[in-house]
Amino acid sequence: MKNIVTIGGGTGHFTLLLGLKKYPVNITAVVSMADDGGSTGRLRDELGVLPPGDIRQCLTALSNSSETLRELMNYRFEKGELKGHNFGNLFLSALEKIKGRLAKGVEEAATILSVKGKVIPVSDKKMNLQIKLKNGKSIIGEKQLDHNKDVRKYGVEKIYLKPKVKANLKVLEAIKKADMIIIGPGDHYGSILPNFLVTGVSEALRNCRAKVVYNCNLTNKKGQTENFSVDDYVASINDYIGDERIDFVVFSGTKPEKKLIKKYEKREGKGSIVEFKKDILKKRNYKVIKADVLKRTQPKKNKNDIIANSRSFIRHDSDKLAKVLMMILEMDEYNNLIQEII
Amino acid sequence: MKNIVTIGGGTGHFTLLLGLKKYPVNITAVVSMADDGGSTGRLRDELGVLPPGDIRQCLTALSNSSETLRELMNYRFEKGELKGHNFGNLFLSALEKIKGRLAKGVEEAATILSVKGKVIPVSDKKMNLQIKLKNGKSIIGEKQLDHNKDVRKYGVEKIYLKPKVKANLKVLEAIKKADMIIIGPGDHYGSILPNFLVTGVSEALRNCRAKVVYNCNLTNKKGQTENFSVDDYVASINDYIGDERIDFVVFSGTKPEKKLIKKYEKREGKGSIVEFKKDILKKRNYKVIKADVLKRTQPKKNKNDIIANSRSFIRHDSDKLAKVLMMILEMDEYNNLIQEII
């Protein structure tokens, strides 16, 4: 079986893994430890644990356990002190405390949840994201990206980690052995790029033999990826990796419904839908795959159904995305297997 | 998920299903009830049960249970009265007796074995294969094909069933709903064609909307498919179905090792390796896919390992075959999903 490493964030990573796990591939999901908002941020602050939120989403996506157990992982308390906490986050934080290390706790959780593949924190240390704005000012903490007004006003210049943290060795091994590395979808500054700042990761990416595929985000964020085109995302990622490492970029050639676009534009301003501008570049060192990977809008079923809830957002379609990625993965093999068509 | 119906026989069917089950597809394996040789034949004669052998192979291939349970299903007793019997055959015959019908017993077995997909006997009645030889003489029983010297001497003219038997309704429903029907590999006269003789099956095949793919056998049998080319197999199957129903034929463009060819030629005569003769036909109503689907020869590990044992035979490779078939299945969808490559 071929080895796939995924580097994503939040619901984007969940969506990606949900589709991929149906195929005969070995999956290693790498998760940033920079998250410090919401339920995750509270646990990080109060218990001193590593951020469990994105880990939880990956474990749930790759779980082959009963639907009830998977629902339980995403269950969010609605009242009292626990309000806003996910059951799954508490479960992972408790396991980290028992086992002494998040990575060990995640292994235990993976067994309990019958997880296909591996989920690995990119580092054993928590990451403090430093955000330098275009006005020269620096702010600290991933959650600032979405909550600090200066981000929207001045825009992000660059991000870095302080202190520096080392990569989990298992992540570097997985990258070395990978046949394909899939980056995105996920928050660009909040989830994707922080991984490349962890000492050892970018170097491993520059030196590995894998095909690197980037699933371009569908929407831009004001002050962060404002007006980014597909090529801007690729350039930014290559920049943080330190080489023109992306071989393929997959972007949605299907436009979202008008009322959804309006909803996003109201919040993020004009140009909040990522576009591919063909003529902006004369030459690209990567193939651009324009594909129908957009999730069709469907009515909600119940408020705890994480998938149904995502239907009123602009999201990737798990199965379509996985199909396109599997085609990219197997492309060369098909060419080798098929000797002639008569 | 797409619906796939497979019509095969023996180890060929096992090999096919072992590869296919790794993909996100709904599989229904249809099994002929004409087998009357070996352990299966003894149970058929002595207990009056339907032939369990091919059912067992399909269940084992599709099973997600422990390796021990799967080994147990294929375990062959070596001493005493039970010598030659497979444990799995006894298990299925006992379940048939308890449940009153083989189809019911198979459902029960499928649950116990955590089977992915469905395995369905083509008919609830046992099938008596009538074999008309080219010298005008008729003989009765599937096992005669490989054991009656007249078959090798005179050759098979045609086969038919007497009495006629009706198809299991679930088989007809599965064919109607199928996106792809995969025929072969498997014994041509012994396993594949008998299915088309069951009342209702050929009609369902003629009228269904599925793509029909034929995995051409790798080797010919003296007196049966002697000197058959790829196109001869297709013509014979279309003939029994009663329409030019095959859309794709997959054949191995890789030649087996010389010593293996010699072994087969010693038993089956010259021309025992199936060849594709491109110029024999000016026009074909099916696409011929020449592909590298041959299993590489590897050393045996232990005598109960059914896969290892097949390595000294000319066989298909499960994973390669499944990959080619999945490509054929998804071909149109890829064309729909991929809008442009830039």
Side-chain angles (χ1 to χ4, degrees), chain A residues 2 22-24 251-254 276 278 284 286-293 319-320 323-324 326-327 330-331 333-334 336-342, chain B residues 2 22-24 251-254 276 278 284 286-293 319-320 323-324 326-327 330-331 333-334 336-342:
Chain A
K2 296 223 169 83
K22 297 175 185 167
Y23 291 86
F251 87 97
S252 165
T254 310
F276 175 63
K278 200 169 179 173
R284 291 176 176 86
Y286 44 90
K287 285 255 175 246
V288 182
I289 318 268
K290 177 181 172 183
D292 175 26
V293 289
D319 290 333
K320 289 179 181 178
K323 244 172 216 175
V324 171
M326 290 305 296
M327 193 210 63
E330 302 287 15
M331 214 184 264
E333 191 151 2
Y334 286 148
N336 287 335
L337 281 178
I338 309 290
Q339 296 161 325
E340 197 180 352
I341 298 182
I342 300 118
Chain B
K2 296 223 169 83
K22 297 175 184 166
Y23 290 85
F251 86 96
S252 165
T254 310
F276 175 63
K278 199 170 178 173
R284 292 176 175 85
Y286 44 91
K287 285 256 175 247
V288 182
I289 317 267
K290 176 180 172 184
D292 175 26
V293 289
D319 290 333
K320 289 179 180 177
K323 245 172 215 173
V324 171
M326 289 306 296
M327 192 210 63
E330 301 288 16
M331 213 184 264
E333 191 150 5
Y334 286 148
N336 287 335
L337 280 179
I338 308 291
Q339 297 160 325
E340 196 181 350
I341 299 182
I342 301 119

Side-chain angles (χ1 to χ4, degrees), chain B residues 250-267:
Chain B
V250 177
F251 86 96
S252 165
T254 310
K255 285 269 160 292
E257 280 180 25
K258 275 187 185 156
K259 66 172 188 202
L260 269 181
I261 297 183
K262 270 194 183 157
K263 180 177 157 184
Y264 274 75
E265 284 187 340
K266 202 170 163 184
R267 203 177 58 201

Side-chain angles (χ1 to χ4, degrees), chain B residues 114-126:
Chain B
S114 309
V115 160
K116 174 179 170 168
K118 286 185 191 133
V119 179
I120 315 184
V122 69
S123 174
D124 280 339
K125 305 271 182 235
K126 65 184 84 164

Side-chain angles (χ1 to χ4, degrees), chain A residues 216 232 338:
Chain A
C216 192
D232 291 329
I338 309 290

